[in-house]
């Protein structure tokens, strides 16, 4: 099976092969990883801590060794490859992502972040560049969390945030057993925790999983921050009654209130910031009968923004509006916070250096907030981060149809390399 490589190369502009970066090598590697866990739909299935994720890690380790890196794996299965710099004692610059996928995922999510970091190293090697600081590329374990309904396991373990290990997967297989198959152990898992002072900065290249870059005709963009999230469950409580015998002016219809709230909710984010979003994704109506006035409606509200202040403001507005609307319709409203995750902004200084690297590669910078979580979100709680998004065709991801052209992948490698060189001079 070499269809992915063929398709990548068919569209490739070989003029992008310069400064030691090679499109053919990158395409071969994307193909080689895609071959591990290839599904019937030609997607990828490399669940965290599965044999497939393990095989992919082992393959990349071989490439890392071939590139002259010092390779090691921690007790959470995170793989590090260190390129020793001129001043090896300084905190490192780190870049990478993950190799695990969702059950029938694509070939670029995670993989591209690992391979662009490796491509930067290959390019330095080919052009006899030794960085000042040591550089580490990383493969984080189990980012997607598809098997244990968790996620970001490796990065959390490295940062010392993992309070509890998952217990069982969806088939009842204990996590410990899964770890043992991977040559890991629950007893030593937490020793993966690393002193944050060893790491000066972390950079992640990732496919956008959205359409902003495509719409703006840009191959690569700057992530301004990773959204925090407030999850709310709202309940509008009215009174169920007969749909025929209750006059319109004597009703406490919970669904009418909920409907007005849903509409209003969609207008609130722009009041606080241009990056904020708020979504009602789940609605449960009780008793849910065609001839019964709805007595209760429970709905979920997912509120996100990259700025802490506006996120809190928006969550406050959501509740305030729910109360106001409930009063108008003579129903009660209750709410419960189901999730509270702080946003991780990217420092302005980082974004400026990112913009310089983009401009040097002939790309006018574009700035995009990330609504989805990534390993960089975990690392970024204590360590300065930067993130680049790479154009995804039709914004499709977590799907075999996920696609990023080789031109865009290689451009991302150039942008990353240029940025890393600027970053080590700026630190
Ligand atoms: Zn990912």
């Amino acid at each position: 099976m070499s269809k992915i490589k063929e398709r990548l190369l068919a569209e490739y502009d070989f003029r992008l092969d310069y400064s030691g970066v090679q499109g053919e090598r990158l395409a071969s590697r994307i193909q080689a990883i895609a071959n591990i866990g290839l599904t019937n739909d030609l997607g990828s299935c490399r669940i965290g801590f599965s044999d497939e994720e393990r095989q992919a890690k082992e393959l990349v380790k071989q490439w890392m060794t071939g590139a002259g890196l010092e390779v090691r794996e921690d007790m959470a299965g995170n793989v590090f490859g260190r390129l020793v710099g001129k001043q090896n004692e300084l905190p490192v610059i780190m870049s990478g992502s993950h190799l695990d996928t969702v059950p029938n995922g694509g070939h670029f999510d995670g993989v591209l972040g690992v391979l662009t970091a490796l491509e930067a190293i290959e390019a330095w090697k080919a052009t006899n560049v030794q960085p000042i600081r040591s550089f580490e590329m990383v493969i984080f374990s189990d980012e997607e969390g598809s098997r244990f309904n968790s996620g970001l396991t490796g990065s959390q373990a490295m940062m010392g945030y993992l309070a509890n290990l998952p217990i069982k997967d969806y088939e009842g297989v204990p996590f410990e057993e899964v770890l043992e198959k991977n040559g890991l152990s629950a007893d030593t898992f937490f020793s993966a925790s690393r002193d944050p002072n060893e790491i000066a900065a972390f950079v992640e290249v990732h496919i956008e999983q959205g359409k902003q870059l495509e719409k703006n005709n840009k191959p690569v963009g700057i992530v301004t921050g990773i959204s925090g999230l407030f999850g709310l469950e709202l309940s509008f409580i009215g009174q169920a009654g007969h749909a025929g015998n209750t006059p319109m002016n004597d009703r406490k219809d919970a669904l009418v209130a909920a409907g007005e709230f849903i509409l209003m909710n969609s207008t609130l984010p722009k009041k606080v910031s241009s990056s904020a979003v708020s979504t009602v994704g789940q609605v449960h109506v009780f008793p849910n009968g065609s001839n019964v006035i709805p007595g209760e409606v429970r709905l979920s509200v997912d509120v996100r923004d990259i700025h802490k202040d506006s996120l809190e403001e928006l969550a406050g507005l959501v509740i305030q509006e729910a109360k106001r609307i409930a009063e108008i319709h003579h129903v009660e409203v209750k709410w419960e916070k189901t999730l509270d995750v702080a946003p991780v902004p990217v420092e302005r200084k980082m974004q400026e250096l990112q913009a310089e690297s983009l401009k040097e590669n002939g790309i006018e910078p574009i700035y995009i907030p990330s609504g989805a979580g990534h390993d960089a979100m975990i690392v970024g709680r204590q360590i300065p981060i930067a993130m680049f998004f790479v154009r995804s065709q039709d914004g499709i991801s977590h799907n075999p149809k996920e696609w990023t052209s080789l031109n865009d992948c290689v451009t991302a490698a150039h942008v990353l390399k240029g940025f890393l060189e600027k970053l080590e001079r700026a630190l």
Side-chain angles (χ1 to χ4, degrees):
M1 253 312 174
S2 59
K3 282 203 171 135
I4 297 162
K5 182 182 171 185
E6 271 171 33
R7 184 176 161 201
L8 284 168
L9 284 172
E11 309 167 329
Y12 185 55
D13 179 353
F14 279 89
R15 285 173 299 181
L16 287 166
D17 276 10
Y18 60 88
S19 302
V21 173
Q22 270 183 32
E24 204 271 343
R25 175 173 51 213
L26 192 53
S28 300
R29 287 177 170 176
I30 290 169
Q31 177 72 65
I33 294 173
N35 289 346
I36 304 168
L38 195 71
T39 65
N40 292 336
D41 301 338
L42 300 181
S44 266
C45 188
R46 290 184 304 275
I47 307 297
F49 299 112
S50 65
D51 291 347
E52 290 79 13
E53 189 202 35
R54 166 59 46 199
Q55 281 175 44
K57 282 180 186 169
E58 294 303 325
L59 179 63
V60 178
K61 275 186 188 174
Q62 286 174 24
W63 297 334
M64 287 157 84
T65 306
L69 302 183
E70 291 175 2
V71 180
R72 72 175 184 93
E73 185 171 330
D74 71 13
M75 299 313 282
N78 297 316
V79 175
F80 300 92
R82 187 177 178 107
L83 176 67
V84 176
K86 288 175 188 149
Q87 296 180 36
N88 194 24
E89 69 288 352
L90 289 176
V92 300
I93 295 176
M94 185 183 279
S95 182
S97 194
H98 60 98
L99 294 175
D100 68 308
T101 68
V102 296
N104 194 16
H107 305 300
F108 298 87
D109 180 347
V111 171
L112 189 60
V114 170
L115 292 184
T116 47
L118 183 54
E119 196 56 35
I121 292 165
E122 297 278 11
W124 286 328
K125 202 180 127 195
T127 52
N128 291 315
V129 173
Q130 186 189 16
I132 305 162
R133 283 170 189 267
S134 292
F135 175 75
E136 283 190 24
M137 66 169 283
V138 59
I139 307 166
F140 286 119
S141 299
D142 188 37
E143 191 271 345
E144 302 285 4
S146 297
R147 184 163 179 186
F148 293 92
N149 205 5
S150 47
L152 304 159
T153 312
S155 48
Q156 289 194 76
M158 183 186 85
M159 296 302 294
Y161 296 147
L162 212 57
N164 300 300
L165 289 178
I167 300 167
K168 284 177 183 167
D169 73 2
Y170 45 75
E171 286 171 340
V173 182
F175 188 59
E176 276 186 40
E177 206 174 286
V178 173
L179 284 181
E180 273 162 33
K181 269 187 126 183
N182 257 270
L184 302 167
S185 150
D187 299 333
T188 52
F189 199 87
F190 292 103
S191 68
S193 159
R194 201 166 162 178
D195 179 357
N197 293 318
E198 292 174 6
I199 306 163
F202 174 71
V203 191
E204 184 167 4
V205 170
H206 203 280
I207 57 164
E208 185 196 348
Q209 304 174 287
K211 296 182 186 173
Q212 291 306 311
L213 290 167
E214 195 173 60
K215 276 187 185 159
N216 288 281
N217 196 24
K218 297 281 193 304
V220 184
I222 297 168
V223 177
T224 50
I226 303 171
S227 288
L229 163 68
F230 263 117
L232 291 168
E233 189 185 71
L234 287 184
S235 304
F236 289 95
I237 303 153
Q239 197 162 41
H242 195 286
N245 291 339
T246 318
M248 293 312 284
N249 63 3
D250 193 23
R251 295 184 175 204
K252 292 179 177 174
D253 188 328
L255 186 55
V256 170
E260 186 168 334
F261 168 78
I262 292 167
L263 208 58
M264 178 52 75
N265 175 64
S266 69
T267 69
L268 299 176
K270 65 172 182 286
K271 293 186 178 173
V272 302
S273 90
S274 59
S275 49
V277 290
S278 184
T279 308
V280 174
Q282 265 183 340
V283 178
H284 298 285
V285 180
F286 303 94
N288 206 23
S290 65
N291 58 355
V292 188
I293 297 165
E296 183 175 348
V297 174
R298 264 178 243 156
L299 52 85
S300 66
V301 193
D302 174 307
V303 182
R304 297 182 192 224
D305 199 10
I306 57 169
H307 310 291
K308 192 170 181 289
D309 293 350
S310 47
L311 174 64
E312 282 169 5
E313 193 188 340
L314 182 54
L317 270 180
V318 165
I319 292 167
Q320 187 187 313
E321 280 305 302
K323 280 192 204 166
R324 188 185 64 80
I325 290 164
E327 222 177 277
I328 295 173
H329 296 280
H330 310 292
V331 302
E332 246 186 279
V333 65
K334 290 180 181 167
W335 65 92
E336 210 175 294
K337 195 159 73 177
T338 52
L339 258 177
D340 184 356
V341 181
V344 176
V346 176
E347 288 171 15
R348 190 169 293 269
K349 191 185 89 183
M350 283 286 194
Q351 294 187 42
E352 282 167 9
L353 291 172
Q354 290 179 274
E356 277 179 36
S357 181
L358 280 168
K359 283 179 192 160
E360 279 179 15
N361 283 281
I363 304 159
E364 202 40 49
I366 173 170
Y367 300 86
I368 310 165
S370 173
H374 294 288
D375 289 312
M377 173 179 80
I378 300 298
V379 180
R381 288 187 202 160
Q382 279 187 74
I383 294 167
I385 56 153
M387 240 190 127
F388 288 104
F389 271 163
V390 188
R391 178 162 47 189
S392 316
Q393 197 173 88
D394 299 323
I396 295 170
S397 78
H398 287 187
N399 185 307
K401 291 204 181 83
E402 188 178 281
W403 190 258
T404 293
S405 74
L406 188 57
N407 288 352
D408 290 357
C409 295
V410 170
T411 301
H414 281 296
V415 170
L416 172 68
K417 175 175 164 288
F419 170 68
L420 293 170
E421 289 163 1
K422 287 177 199 307
L423 181 60
E424 72 163 359
R425 288 195 294 269
L427 282 171

